[in-house]
Amino acid sequence: MAEEKKGFFKEFKEFITKGNILDMAVGVVVGGAFGKIVTSLVNDIVMPPIGMAIGGVDFANLKAVIQPAVLDEAGEVVKEAVSINYGNFIQTIIEFIIIALCIFLVLRGIIKAKALAEKAKKEKEAEPAPEPEPEPAPEPEPSEEVLLLREIRDSLKK
């Protein structure tokens, strides 16, 4: 049992320290922050003009009441209203579309960059290697006349 525990923790440690897991953790944290930015963009910048264009409606408050709230004699809510909050749903769909668009653009850029890198690599491999300089041809054997003249020259030097 104790050895099984050691094996489990060792395996878990290897799992956690792998680069892919660390990259994924960073991605989750950055993605969470990005989600907050997109939520703010949609709620604070995109939706107000859209709401104004359709008559000053706040999308977050759009809902279809199925059962109205029940009030007592003092006007206090005894039972909350039952409603379908479709305005929130519309805002969430817009957030999703913006996030999906951003992810698409990032992945598209990565894919294009990889394609360019592969193309450059293939072009580099396709370039013919510079041809080595040919070795100089061996000097031809001197003719008999040249040999004879050299012999005469050497004998005159003596």
Side-chain angles (χ1 to χ4, degrees):
M1 179 86 176
E3 192 162 312
E4 220 175 273
K5 217 177 194 182
K6 281 184 181 180
F8 172 80
F9 286 116
K10 182 178 178 184
E11 191 176 337
F12 182 67
K13 180 182 175 187
E14 288 173 6
F15 171 77
I16 287 202
T17 56
K18 284 185 180 175
N20 294 348
I21 300 300
L22 296 175
D23 292 343
M24 186 178 73
V26 169
V28 168
V29 171
V30 171
F34 182 71
K36 288 181 181 180
I37 291 170
V38 171
T39 300
S40 175
L41 172 73
V42 170
N43 294 341
D44 302 331
I45 296 173
V46 173
M47 296 312 283
I50 292 174
M52 196 171 96
I54 62 168
V57 178
D58 181 11
F59 266 79
N61 295 328
L62 290 178
K63 58 186 168 186
V65 177
I66 298 173
Q67 181 179 352
V70 177
L71 305 175
D72 62 7
E73 295 85 31
E76 294 193 20
V77 176
V78 176
K79 187 175 177 185
E80 293 287 328
V82 178
S83 61
I84 298 174
N85 300 324
Y86 64 89
N88 267 346
F89 182 69
I90 292 171
Q91 279 188 294
T92 304
I93 289 173
I94 292 172
E95 287 176 25
F96 170 76
I97 291 170
I98 291 172
I99 290 173
L101 176 65
C102 291
I103 291 172
F104 169 75
L105 292 173
V106 168
L107 290 178
R108 186 173 178 223
I110 290 171
I111 290 169
K112 282 190 175 188
K114 281 185 179 181
L116 285 174
E118 286 179 17
K119 182 179 176 185
K121 183 179 177 183
K122 284 180 182 177
E123 287 175 357
K124 185 176 181 182
E125 289 173 356
E127 288 178 5
E131 293 182 24
E133 292 184 29
E135 292 183 24
E139 291 184 30
E141 291 288 324
S143 67
E144 286 184 35
E145 296 164 343
V146 172
L147 290 173
L148 183 62
L149 288 171
R150 284 183 186 168
E151 219 176 281
I152 294 171
R153 178 194 66 197
D154 292 341
S155 61
L156 287 174
K157 281 184 182 177
K158 289 180 184 177

